[in-house]
């Protein structure tokens, strides 16, 4: 006959328990009020800006500049300070996706919790105050823990997103530089270029083929061409061609605008005074777990109902008593802490990735990273250093080399190893003048250090000019630029138009050699000019590229002095080729190491570059790509149909002269082959491929804002090695999520089995009371399980193949492990409880032994859970995670308090234990450590295919 004294507390104690949640609720409410006030206070510090009534679009450019008191060279520092004081920072107030109250209430929106609340209400109606206190206590404490942890996770993500705050170019005091978009003030001059996100409202002053995607503001999906002419006052926003608004994107061309409104005074600020924060704290795995939670709840409810019926019919208990027993079972079986632990694990992973320069923009990418099987990476700057140096110059009759290194212009020009006098070679000087003029970058000297402001390749060309005795400042003064066709990856060249003071005019063009060769009919040589010898130039290009050099061709065309505009027709044929330049850009040593690690991790790295095929192959060999002998060019790619390409992409690792559209095709074919693909990109046209890839990766430094917006992840340092780190962290986060599940579920399983077993076997006393179960669940979730969220990457994490994206969360191995450990926990706890009862100790004493045994089991099992299949009985396994040791330390103190402190003894019905009892507890509990290690060894043996965690530590 069962004595269902499973709620063995006095009424006073029950009131205490019922009051505790109320007090906690009051504290939580107070905190909420404070928190809301504090965040409201923060939100107030938002800027206002300029006078809205001015019809800027109807004024001429000169009038606009006059009204804004902006000099042609941009604002000066003192004025900028003054305006920043007057108008505040250029940003919109951040909107919280949910208020704190909504977020707190959302903690209760969970099927598991509904069941507990339902049970709590029935128990209250039955006037079992103690039991009601227990249940509502569980619910409330769980909500508070969830609320705090989720808050921390959201804060962490917000901080990471702030790392992605937009930047903008600005012209101040005659100098072009990049600043944080927040620092813009009305009157600032903003140079615009392809890929920029406009960060304030601008009146356009100059344009060169400037097109802007305004869909964010007007809904119009086609880009709008901009010009500078004033519009009528009543022109509607969408038709104001001379204005560009905050939040829109430059899809093509260049331009210059002056800021007329910032912050909340912009059109964007007017429409939505708040930036909606649509980041959600969920991933496919978390959704799967939530789904599993619903399934589990149904199972628990069925089990509880069966228990209820069993007690009623077989054991002849009253309905009320059996209902309470069923509720006890539910409290034990439901893994209340799991969702919060998973969220915090995810947030810790994202933070750790940010620490390794991989900034996650969309959370599901964290998980996808762990399944990536192919990484398609750009070459320049990602696999290579993007520190270019001109090493070779080839003219029609000679090949010269340049000495010196980096951007330091000290060095000279050599011919066959002997110093060469460039001042005597007018053809060489013309070539160098062309690359100095057809150039948008600046060299910056800081003491002994030289760096480049702008494209590193163009910086290297300025250095070559200096080595040849040309001073860029003088050359650009003598040959001012009248117009340009900016470089774009699609057309692979840049052209500029210059007029000398002597009345001459020239177009200079530099770009990919095939492209330039196609534009030329002549070549510069000793006779002045002769017919272009294509074959010999081809051979020269091939030779330079095979040596791993990036080749650039330079050409010139004289034009009538009155021509002041440059169009594509001007450079189509009839140019004179001046020569070639060969630049070196050494591979990043860390990229070479990362490629090796990726290979060990079963990830194929493919290099996709705009460069020449031979250059690409030579660099691929230096990087040690799996197949660096073959290269597929963009041209060849176009001739292949999808089926053939599908088969080729499997084998080929080097793709050269590839344009952004080709990238999209490559990703699609790789995905068709079943690969999970990560793809890097930086330009506007890379956006479709980035969106299509499973993980789109944008470059943080040289990437355009458009690419960043399309990407799932942004690399703060543009470095390939950071992608490999992110994959490692992605695999680790997934492992840690699995480890939390594998740790928490057997705890609940063990507790449920203990209660179920006691009822079914007709025990007089339950080994653990529901209050004690509550204690164990809450205390171990916030200590032990949380420690798993901090697990460092396993040593073998990059020596196993990528996880199969379609693999379900709960594999047979998982289910088996959960059952196995639950049974060990149940058997051990039950045995010791019975042993103690056999010694005829007080029931409280035996229960205290049971609670401590259960907790001690969990402490030992935590070590097992650190590695899913790898052995932990080694130095790394036992002391490799200090959080585990700290958590155990805290938990031991809590257990001692539970066992020996008077008030705790009253509240939890515990009793002080003697040393011999502790010895028995530790002995029994330690068994799980060894049993699970034996089980892992058996599984490892039977496991022929590697699984997560299956790689032996070397
Ligand atoms: P990767 O894709 O590996 O990063 P990339 O981005 O440098 O390479 P593109 O920028 O598309 O590739 O450049 C393709 C080719 O265009 C280069 O090989 C070079 O010959 C030429 N090129 C690159 N930058 C310029 C420039 N600023 N002016 C003129 N030509 C250029």
């Amino acid at each position: 006959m069962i004595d269902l004294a499973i709620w063995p507390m006095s009424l006073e104690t029950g009131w205490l328990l019922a009051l505790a949640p109320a007090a906690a609720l009051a504290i939580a409410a107070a905190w909420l009020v404070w928190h809301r006030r504090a965040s409201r206070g923060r939100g107030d510090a938002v800027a206002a800006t300029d006078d809205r009534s001015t019809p800027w679009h109807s004024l001429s450019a000169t009038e606009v500049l006059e009204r804004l008191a902006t000099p042609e060279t941009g604002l000066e520092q003192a004025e900028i300070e003054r305006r920043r004081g007057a108008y505040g920072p250029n940003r919109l107030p951040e909107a919280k996706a949910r208020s704190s109250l909504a977020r707190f209430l959302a903690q209760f929106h969970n099927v598991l919790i509904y069941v507990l609340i339902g049970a709590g209400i029935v128990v209250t109606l039955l006037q079992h105050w103690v039991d009601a206190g227990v249940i509502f206590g569980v619910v409330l404490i769980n909500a508070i823990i969830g609320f705090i942890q989720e808050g921390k996770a959201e804060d962490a993500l917000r901080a990471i997103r702030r790392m992605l705050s937009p930047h903008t170019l600005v012209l101040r005091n005659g100098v072009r530089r990049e600043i944080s978009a927040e620092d813009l003030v009305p009157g600032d001059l903003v140079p615009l270029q392809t890929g920029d996100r406009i960060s304030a409202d601008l009146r356009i002053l100059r344009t060169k083929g400037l097109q802007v995607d305004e869909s964010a503001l007007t809904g119009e999906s086609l880009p709008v061409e901009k010009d500078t002419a004033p519009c009528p006052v009543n022109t509607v926003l969408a038709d104001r061609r001379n204005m560009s608004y905050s939040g829109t994107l430059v899809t093509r061309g260049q331009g210059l605008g002056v800021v007329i409104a910032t912050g909340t005074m912009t059109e964007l600020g007017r429409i939505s005074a708040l930036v909606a924060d649509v980041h959600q704290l969920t991933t496919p795995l978390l959704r799967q777990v939530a789904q599993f939670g619903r399934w589990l709840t149904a199972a628990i409810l069925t089990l509880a109902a069966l228990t209820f019926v069993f007690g009623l019919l077989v054991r002849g208990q009253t309905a009320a008593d059996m209902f309470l027993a069923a509720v006890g079972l539910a409290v034990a079986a439901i893994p209340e802490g799991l969702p919060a632990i998973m969220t915090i694990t995810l947030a810790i992973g994202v933070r750790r990735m940010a620490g390794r320069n991989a900034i996650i923009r969309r959370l599901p990418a964290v998980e996808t990273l762990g399944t990536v099987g192919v990484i398609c990476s750009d070459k320049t700057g990602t696999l290579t250093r993007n520190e270019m140096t001109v090493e070779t110059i080839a003219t029609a009759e000679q090949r010269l080399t340049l000495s010196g290194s980096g951007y330091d212009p000290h060095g000279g020009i050599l011919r066959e190893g002997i110093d060469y006098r460039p001042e005597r070679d007018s053809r060489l000087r013309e070539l160098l003048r062309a690359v100095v003029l057809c150039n948008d970058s600046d060299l910056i000297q800081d003491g002994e250090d030289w760096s480049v402001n702008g494209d590193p390749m163009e910086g290297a060309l300025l250095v070559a000019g200096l080595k040849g005795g040309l001073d860029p400042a003088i050359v650009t003064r003598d040959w001012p630029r009248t117009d340009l066709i900016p470089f774009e990856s699609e057309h692979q060249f840049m052209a500029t138009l210059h007029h000398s003071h002597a009345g001459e005019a020239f177009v200079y063009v530099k770009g990919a050699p095939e492209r330039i060769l196609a534009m030329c009919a002549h070549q510069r040589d000793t006779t002045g000019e002769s017919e272009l010898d294509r074959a010999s130039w081809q051979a020269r290009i091939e030779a330079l590229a095979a040596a791993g050099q990036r080749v650039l061709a330079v050409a010139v065309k004289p034009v009538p002095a009155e021509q002041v505009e440059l169009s594509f027709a001007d450079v189509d044929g009839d140019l004179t080729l001046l020569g070639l330049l060969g630049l070196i850009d050494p591979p990043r040593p860390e990229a070479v190491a990362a490629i090796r690690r990726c290979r060990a991790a079963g990830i194929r790295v493919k290099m996709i570059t705009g460069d020449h095929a031979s250059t690409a192959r030579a660099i691929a060999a230096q990087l040690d790509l799996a197949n660096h002998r073959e290269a597929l060019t963009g041209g060849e790619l176009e001739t292949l149909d999808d089926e053939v390409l599908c088969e080729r992409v499997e084998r080929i690792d080097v793709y050269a002269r590839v344009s952004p559209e080709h990238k999209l095709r490559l990703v699609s074919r790789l995905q068709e082959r079943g690969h999970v693909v990560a793809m890097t990109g930086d330009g506007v046209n890379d956006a479709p491929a980035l969106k299509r890839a499973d993980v789109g990766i944008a470059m943080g430094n040289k990437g355009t804002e458009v690419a960043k917006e399309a990407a799932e992840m942004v690399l703060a340092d543009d470095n390939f090695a950071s992608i490999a780190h992110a994959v490692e962290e992605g695999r680790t986060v997934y492992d840690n999520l699995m480890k939390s599940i594998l740790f928490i579920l057997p705890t609940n399983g063990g507790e449920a089995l203990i209660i179920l077993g006691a009822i079914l076997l007709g025990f007089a006393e339950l080994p653990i009371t529901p209050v004690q179960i509550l204690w164990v669940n809450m205390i171990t979730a916030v200590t032990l399980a949380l420690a798993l969220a901090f697990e460092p990457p396993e040593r073998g994490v990059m020596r196993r193949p990528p996880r199969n994206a379609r693999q379900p969360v709960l594999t047979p191995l998982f289910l088996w492990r959960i059952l196995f450990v639950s049974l060990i926990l149940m058997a051990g706890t039950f045995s010791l409880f019975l042993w103690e009862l056999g010694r005829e100790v007080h029931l409280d004493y035996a229960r205290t032994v049971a609670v401590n045994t259960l907790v001690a089991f969990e402490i030992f099992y935590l070590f097992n859970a650190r590695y899913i299949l790898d052995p932990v009985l080694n130095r790394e396994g036992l002391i490799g995670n200090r959080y585990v040791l700290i958590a155990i330390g805290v938990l031991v103190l809590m257990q001692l308090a539970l066992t020996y402190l008077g008030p705790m003894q009253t509240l939890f019905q515990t009793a002080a234990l003697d040393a011999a009892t502790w010895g028995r507890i530790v002995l029994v509990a330690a068994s799980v450590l060894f049993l699970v290690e034996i089980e892992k060894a058996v599984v490892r043996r039977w496991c022929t295919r590697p699984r997560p965690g299956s790689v032996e530590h070397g």
Side-chain angles (χ1 to χ4, degrees):
M1 189 57 205
I2 312 174
D3 170 11
L4 273 174
I6 54 173
W7 314 96
M9 262 185 269
S10 64
L11 202 60
E12 292 83 336
T13 325
W15 272 114
L16 253 179
L17 255 182
L19 277 178
L25 193 60
I27 293 168
W31 185 80
L32 268 178
V33 171
W34 172 83
H35 184 76
R36 294 192 77 184
R37 281 217 187 119
S39 46
R40 204 175 308 139
R42 281 197 293 275
D44 290 341
V46 169
T49 59
D50 218 325
D51 169 19
R52 241 177 215 176
S53 56
T54 314
W56 298 103
H57 56 280
S58 69
L59 305 178
S60 74
T62 337
E63 271 177 303
V64 171
L65 289 178
E66 255 167 39
R67 286 221 194 176
L68 289 164
T70 300
E72 290 239 329
T73 48
L75 298 175
E76 306 220 328
Q77 198 52 38
E79 182 58 18
I80 295 164
E81 302 288 335
R82 195 193 66 73
R83 295 193 190 190
R84 193 175 300 142
Y87 300 115
N90 172 35
R91 64 161 181 253
L92 299 179
E94 233 177 66
K96 286 244 180 78
R98 287 179 297 170
S99 70
S100 301
L101 185 64
R103 205 155 56 73
F104 181 69
L105 292 178
Q107 304 299 322
F108 297 91
H109 178 52
N110 179 331
V111 190
L112 303 177
I113 301 298
Y114 291 159
V115 172
L116 286 182
I117 293 177
I121 292 171
V122 177
V123 171
T124 310
L125 294 178
L126 290 172
Q127 299 196 347
H128 285 269
W129 307 117
V130 182
D131 322 342
V134 172
I135 295 165
F136 289 124
V138 173
V139 170
L140 190 67
I141 294 172
N142 178 64
I144 293 172
I145 293 174
F147 175 76
I148 293 172
Q149 295 196 336
E150 197 182 277
K152 276 195 196 151
E154 282 187 357
D155 285 348
L157 292 182
R158 208 169 296 127
I160 285 161
R161 277 200 301 286
R162 246 175 252 136
M163 293 169 72
L164 284 175
S165 64
H167 282 74
T168 178
L169 275 177
V170 68
L171 181 68
R172 285 176 173 174
N173 213 358
V175 184
R176 244 164 90 115
R177 67 175 99 125
E178 200 174 277
I179 58 163
S180 164
E182 261 191 38
D183 294 334
L184 278 182
V185 292
D188 258 330
L189 292 179
V190 179
L192 299 170
Q193 56 190 26
T194 314
D196 283 354
R197 181 179 220 281
I198 296 173
S199 6
D201 286 359
L202 307 176
R203 165 69 162 86
I204 303 294
L205 305 174
R206 274 207 299 272
T207 68
K208 180 70 196 174
L210 186 68
Q211 287 188 1
V212 179
D213 171 357
E214 298 190 331
S215 54
L217 204 62
T218 60
E220 169 59 55
S221 59
L222 289 179
V224 183
E225 183 103 30
K226 293 290 169 184
D227 59 36
T228 56
C231 315
V233 177
N234 53 4
T235 312
V236 295
L237 189 121
D239 294 338
R240 294 179 194 164
R241 292 297 187 86
N242 58 14
M243 301 286 294
S244 268
Y245 296 98
S246 177
T248 60
L249 301 162
V250 180
T251 52
R252 185 180 280 272
Q254 295 188 330
L256 181 76
V258 60
V259 175
I260 54 101
T262 58
T264 45
M265 299 304 279
T266 59
E267 289 299 329
L268 186 70
R270 227 199 285 223
I271 307 171
S272 64
L274 300 170
V275 182
D277 197 349
V278 286
H279 232 72
Q280 280 189 349
L281 267 171
T282 188
T283 70
L285 176 64
L286 261 57
R287 275 194 291 272
Q288 273 189 56
V289 171
Q291 173 69 29
F292 169 73
R294 285 191 281 275
W295 175 87
L296 190 68
T297 310
I300 293 170
L301 286 184
T302 315
L303 197 67
L306 289 177
T307 314
F308 178 80
V309 175
F310 176 84
L312 214 61
L313 302 181
V314 182
R315 302 286 178 203
Q317 289 298 313
T318 64
D321 282 348
M322 272 329 290
F323 183 80
L324 294 180
V327 169
L329 185 62
V331 173
I334 292 176
E336 306 89 356
L338 192 59
I341 293 290
M342 297 199 72
T343 308
I344 201 91
T345 306
L346 205 61
I348 289 171
V350 171
R351 209 171 50 198
R352 221 153 43 182
M353 286 185 186
R356 299 181 87 178
N357 290 317
I359 303 163
I360 296 292
R361 292 191 69 246
R362 299 196 178 90
L363 263 193
V366 180
E367 274 170 30
T368 321
L369 273 168
T371 61
V372 163
V374 176
I375 303 175
C376 297
S377 172
D378 284 345
K379 173 176 73 69
T380 311
T382 311
L383 291 166
T384 65
R385 288 224 271 254
N386 211 8
E387 286 166 15
M388 305 237 183
T389 317
V390 177
E391 199 169 71
T392 318
I393 296 178
T395 56
E397 56 272 331
Q398 60 187 351
R399 182 170 162 154
L400 305 166
T401 50
L402 280 81
S403 61
S405 67
Y407 298 116
D408 186 340
H410 294 100
I413 300 183
L414 308 169
R415 194 173 119 178
E416 290 167 6
I418 300 165
D419 272 341
Y420 186 73
R421 308 280 298 273
E423 63 276 11
R424 294 202 191 145
D425 186 341
S426 61
R427 293 175 303 283
L428 173 63
R429 288 176 73 81
E430 186 184 14
L431 168 70
L432 291 175
R433 186 170 61 230
V435 293
V436 167
L437 290 173
C438 190
N439 199 311
D440 274 333
S441 66
D442 302 302
L443 279 183
I444 299 165
Q445 184 180 13
D446 181 10
E448 294 285 287
D449 294 333
W450 291 80
S451 59
V452 175
N453 184 8
D455 179 357
M457 189 189 72
E458 295 195 338
L461 300 179
L462 294 182
V463 174
L466 281 162
K467 286 178 183 169
L470 295 186
D471 181 345
I474 297 175
V475 176
T476 45
R477 191 197 59 206
D478 291 349
W479 294 82
R481 184 189 291 181
T482 337
D483 202 4
L484 95 157
I485 299 176
F487 173 77
E488 305 268 358
S489 293
E490 303 132 73
H491 55 249
Q492 297 190 333
F493 73 87
M494 167 177 175
T496 48
L497 172 63
H498 300 266
H499 286 76
S500 78
H501 298 304
E504 300 159 298
F506 289 103
V507 176
Y508 288 116
V509 189
K510 73 177 199 307
E514 311 89 290
R515 190 79 179 88
I516 303 295
L517 231 53
M519 297 172 179
C520 293
H522 317 281
Q523 65 188 41
R524 184 71 83 231
D525 60 15
T526 37
T527 64
E529 206 171 271
S530 61
E531 197 188 328
L532 186 73
D533 179 357
R534 278 180 208 281
S536 82
W537 285 108
Q538 287 290 7
R540 268 181 224 139
I541 293 166
E542 200 48 54
L544 289 178
Q549 299 191 7
R550 156 176 278 217
V551 190
L552 211 60
V554 190
V556 66
K557 180 181 172 182
V559 289
E562 55 280 7
Q563 177 173 342
V564 288
E565 285 201 2
L566 198 52
S567 71
F568 278 82
D570 295 320
V571 292
D572 205 9
D574 209 30
L575 267 71
T576 303
L577 185 67
L578 296 176
L580 305 174
L581 293 111
L583 296 105
I584 52 162
D585 177 18
R588 290 175 183 262
E590 64 277 22
V592 180
I595 288 174
R596 207 175 309 128
R597 294 180 67 225
C598 284
R599 190 182 300 171
I603 300 167
R604 190 87 180 230
V605 178
K606 298 189 185 276
M607 184 172 95
I608 300 189
T609 172
D611 236 331
H612 191 280
S614 301
T615 313
R617 269 200 306 264
I619 299 286
Q622 293 172 27
L623 287 164
D624 198 19
L625 286 193
N627 174 9
H628 53 257
R629 285 188 187 82
E630 283 180 279
L632 188 70
T633 64
E636 289 163 351
L637 197 145
E638 272 168 21
T639 62
L640 302 178
D641 64 28
D642 281 354
E643 218 168 289
V644 181
L645 184 59
C646 227
E647 177 260 316
R648 290 279 184 91
V649 289
E650 202 65 58
R651 197 179 71 231
I652 292 177
D653 290 342
V654 181
Y655 299 85
R657 290 288 187 236
V658 166
S659 69
E661 302 77 66
H662 299 141
K663 280 185 165 183
L664 181 61
R665 241 188 114 195
L666 284 175
V667 177
S668 312
R669 295 296 83 76
L670 282 164
Q671 286 174 331
E672 252 165 52
R673 301 283 300 192
H675 295 293
V676 177
V677 185
M679 161 80 89
T680 66
D682 46 24
V684 184
N685 301 332
D686 285 336
L690 291 179
K691 278 192 188 143
R692 175 67 196 246
D694 299 279
V695 184
I697 304 170
M699 299 300 142
N701 295 325
K702 69 170 186 160
T704 56
E705 291 298 326
V706 176
K708 287 183 202 169
E709 272 173 35
E712 265 90 27
M713 185 170 106
V714 175
L715 291 186
D717 61 352
D718 294 10
N719 189 341
F720 179 82
S722 303
I723 305 179
H725 290 150
V727 169
E728 179 179 350
E729 291 295 346
R731 290 182 173 197
T732 305
V733 170
Y734 195 87
D735 280 359
N736 292 354
L737 289 171
M738 295 316 240
K739 288 171 187 176
S740 318
I741 299 178
L742 209 48
F743 177 74
I744 290 179
L745 291 189
T747 311
N748 295 96
E751 287 168 358
L753 283 181
I754 291 169
I755 293 201
L756 202 62
I759 295 171
L760 296 183
L761 295 175
F763 268 63
E765 308 292 351
L766 278 193
I768 312 179
T769 68
V771 193
Q772 291 166 344
I773 286 174
L774 161 69
W775 166 267
V776 176
N777 282 0
M778 288 295 131
I779 270 340
T780 56
V782 292
T783 55
L784 302 186
L786 195 59
L788 285 179
F790 292 93
E791 263 304 308
E794 285 187 26
R795 264 206 268 163
V797 73
M798 289 298 270
R799 265 177 273 152
R800 56 164 115 117
R803 173 171 53 86
N804 179 354
R806 280 184 283 271
Q807 177 186 305
V809 182
L810 291 175
T811 57
L813 172 72
F814 261 62
L815 291 172
W816 152 249
R817 174 77 58 79
I818 291 166
L819 183 69
F820 180 60
V821 179
S822 300
L823 286 171
I824 298 175
L825 261 57
M826 194 263 289
T829 311
F830 234 118
S831 312
L832 264 190
F833 174 72
L834 290 180
W835 161 280
E836 293 299 338
L837 282 187
R839 291 202 305 143
E840 306 212 333
V841 294
H842 190 272
L843 176 62
D844 286 355
Y845 191 96
R847 281 181 169 152
T848 312
V849 170
V851 172
N852 278 307
T853 309
L854 195 59
V855 171
F857 261 131
E858 290 194 31
I859 289 177
F860 283 107
Y861 178 55
L862 181 65
F863 289 103
N864 297 120
R866 288 199 55 212
Y867 302 143
I868 295 170
L869 276 182
D870 275 3
V872 292
L873 293 176
N874 50 47
R875 203 185 136 76
E876 178 62 28
L878 295 176
I879 58 170
N881 178 352
R882 69 190 161 95
Y883 293 100
V884 164
L885 304 178
I886 295 170
I888 292 175
V890 172
L891 188 58
V892 167
L893 289 179
M894 303 283 248
Q895 284 309 114
L896 291 178
L898 179 83
T899 312
Y900 293 105
L901 289 187
M904 298 290 267
Q905 289 177 340
T906 319
L907 201 61
F908 290 96
Q909 303 287 297
T910 52
L913 304 182
D914 59 31
T917 311
W918 280 115
R920 281 192 293 278
I921 292 175
V922 173
L923 214 62
V924 169
S927 66
V928 71
L929 181 61
F930 300 101
L931 287 172
V932 174
E933 287 308 296
I934 294 170
E935 180 256 358
K936 281 185 192 175
V938 173
V939 175
R940 277 200 303 272
R941 227 150 189 234
W942 287 90
C943 235
T944 44
R945 266 181 308 144
R947 293 164 187 257
S950 66
V951 182
E952 294 283 349
H953 293 320

